[in-house]
């Protein structure tokens, strides 16, 4: 895997030029993506910016995010060949920082649940997760140092965990979604994938113009270990990884204790699909009305069911979410972060993109979530660190602390 910070250090020292760094990324894609299927298309050759804090950084852009120099097809033949006239806001910001949005990465159709053709770099028979399949796989395979994805349920955190990399789903709307194909306007969040947590912190701080995001962990942080029992049971291996991450946090000086979330959170968790699907029915109304037969099976059936949802059900679900958000804000007075599993377990086979049930509450809450890989044998496992809304710097700092401690032996 390629480190954004390592590349930038080499560029700043003069041992690597931005142009050479981008050429290296193009060569890696040509050499290694054939069997992986993470990259859909690359940007035309052209001058590489020599200045800017992200000069020389090649970025993968999930194919629901607009790029003026590459087609944006939303993972669907319905939009085959569509070329936006403008970059999405986050893509324009990356260019202003000197980065090169180099490749469009594979996504499931309209960021839904139907698998796309991308393989997991650790085992081609396994899914890389969805819907940000290509972005996660491209980082894990060492094709790119940074990639963009989106999360509506668990589509940043889960694929990062399956691919053994770091990722952040920031606080809701911290990164603008202007120019991003909507699935659910109350949930969709642009996120970042990278090799490690320090890379994420640097990239996010620059993208959102908040350098304070790149901060140090507080001394003796309080970390609440949460199993989300209302979401069902995680695999034994995932729970063992969570326990291992808890021990690593304690070695780093944290105070770790168990947290059982009260009933309002179970109701909010159950409300997530109603909010998501009621909005998806409207966001994808044109595709459903004019191209129903071209929609893939899982998404098509999901939108079929969504037609029966009522505004009263949607409003009730939103109230459940609001109550839980208010209670979570108060609960964060008692701890600095929540530590929980990133996924049910290891990556399943490619017939599915995996299960988002341990992610969707936190997407609905709008809080920052950072996934950290837990080293070990076999396919990757991850844990996620969750902080108060707007406290993305603390989420990243504590995730970085745990990431570093996990490199030490139990």
């Amino acid at each position: 895997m390629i480190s954004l910070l390592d590349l930038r250090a080499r560029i700043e020292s003069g041992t690597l030029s931005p142009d050479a760094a981008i050429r290296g990324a193009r060569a890696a894609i040509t050499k290694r993506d054939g069997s992986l299927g993470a990259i859909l298309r690359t940007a035309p050759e052209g001058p590489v910016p020599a200045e800017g804090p992200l000069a020389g950084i090649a970025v993968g852009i999930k194919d629901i995010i607009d790029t003026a120099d590459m087609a944006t097809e939303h993972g669907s033949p319905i939009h085959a060949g569509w070329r936006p006239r403008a970059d999405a806001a986050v893509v324009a910001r990356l260019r202003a920082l000197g980065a090169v949005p180099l490749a469009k990465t594979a996504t499931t159709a309209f960021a839904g649940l139907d698998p796309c053709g991308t393989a997991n770099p650790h085992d081609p028979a396994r899914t890389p997760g969805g819907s940000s399949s290509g972005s996660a796989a491209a980082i894990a395979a060492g094709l790119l140092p940074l990639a963009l994805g989106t999360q509506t349920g668990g589509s940043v955190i889960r694929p990062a965990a399956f691919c053994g990399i770091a990722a952040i789903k920031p606080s809701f709307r911290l990164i603008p979604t202007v120019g991003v194909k909507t699935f659910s306007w109350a949930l969709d969040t642009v996120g970042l994938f990278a090799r490690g947590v320090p890379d994420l912190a640097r990239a996010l701080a620059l993208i959102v113009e908040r350098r304070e995001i790149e901060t140090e962990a507080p001394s003796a942080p309080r970390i609440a270990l949460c199993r989300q029992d209302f979401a069902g049971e995680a695999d034994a291996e995932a729970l063992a990884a969570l326990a291992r991450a808890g021990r690593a946090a304690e070695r780093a000086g944290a105070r770790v204790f168990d947290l059982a979330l009260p009933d309002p959170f179970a109701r909010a968790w159950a409300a997530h699909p109603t909010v998501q699907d009621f909005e998806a029915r409207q966001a994808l109304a044109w595709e459903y009305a004019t191209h129903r037969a071209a929609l893939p099976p899982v998404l098509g059936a999901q939108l079929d069911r969504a037609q029966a949802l009522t505004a009263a059900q949607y409003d009730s679900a939103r109230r459940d979410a609001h109550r839980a958000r208010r209670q979570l804000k108060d609960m964060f007075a008692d701890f600095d972060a929540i530590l929980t599993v990133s996924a049910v377990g290891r990556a399943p086979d490619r017939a599915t993109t995996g299960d988002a049930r341990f992610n969707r509450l936190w997407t609905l809450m709008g809080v920052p979530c950072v996934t950290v890989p837990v080293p070990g044998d076999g396919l990757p496992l991850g844990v996620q660190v969750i902080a108060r809304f707007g406290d993305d710097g603390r989420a990243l700092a504590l995730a970085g602390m745990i990431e570093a401690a996990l490199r030490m032996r139990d």
Side-chain angles (χ1 to χ4, degrees), residues 340-360:
T340 189
V341 296
S342 294
V344 175
R346 303 183 195 270
D349 65 43
R350 287 169 64 180
T352 175
T353 62
D355 192 325
R357 56 192 158 105
F358 290 110
N359 314 121
R360 70 192 203 195

Side-chain angles (χ1 to χ4, degrees), residues 236-287:
E237 292 174 319
L239 292 174
L242 179 62
R244 185 177 174 192
R247 293 194 299 271
E250 288 178 325
R251 285 198 306 274
R255 291 170 287 165
V256 178
F257 56 91
D258 289 331
L259 172 68
L261 293 171
D263 283 347
F265 294 95
R267 290 195 293 273
W269 178 84
H272 174 280
T274 299
V275 174
Q276 173 188 267
D277 291 359
F278 187 83
E279 294 184 352
R281 186 184 82 188
Q282 298 170 74
L284 298 174
W286 179 84
E287 287 85 358

Side-chain angles (χ1 to χ4, degrees), residues 299-390:
L299 178 59
Q302 183 179 2
L303 293 177
D304 286 342
R305 294 190 298 272
Q307 306 308 306
L309 290 171
T310 66
Q313 290 172 309
Y314 172 67
D315 292 344
S316 177
R318 292 185 67 202
R319 285 192 291 271
D320 285 338
H322 183 62
R323 292 186 194 101
R325 287 190 197 108
R326 285 188 301 179
Q327 187 161 354
L328 184 61
K329 180 181 177 181
D330 293 338
M331 289 171 66
F332 267 113
D334 298 324
F335 45 80
D336 295 288
I338 292 170
L339 181 64
T340 189
V341 296
S342 294
V344 175
R346 303 183 195 270
D349 65 43
R350 287 169 64 180
T352 175
T353 62
D355 192 325
R357 56 192 158 105
F358 290 110
N359 314 121
R360 70 192 203 195
L361 173 66
W362 312 113
T363 308
L364 184 66
M365 295 297 95
V367 291
C369 307
V370 183
T371 189
V372 176
V374 178
D377 297 328
L379 291 169
L381 291 162
V383 294
Q384 58 179 326
V385 176
I386 299 154
R388 184 197 305 266
F389 177 80

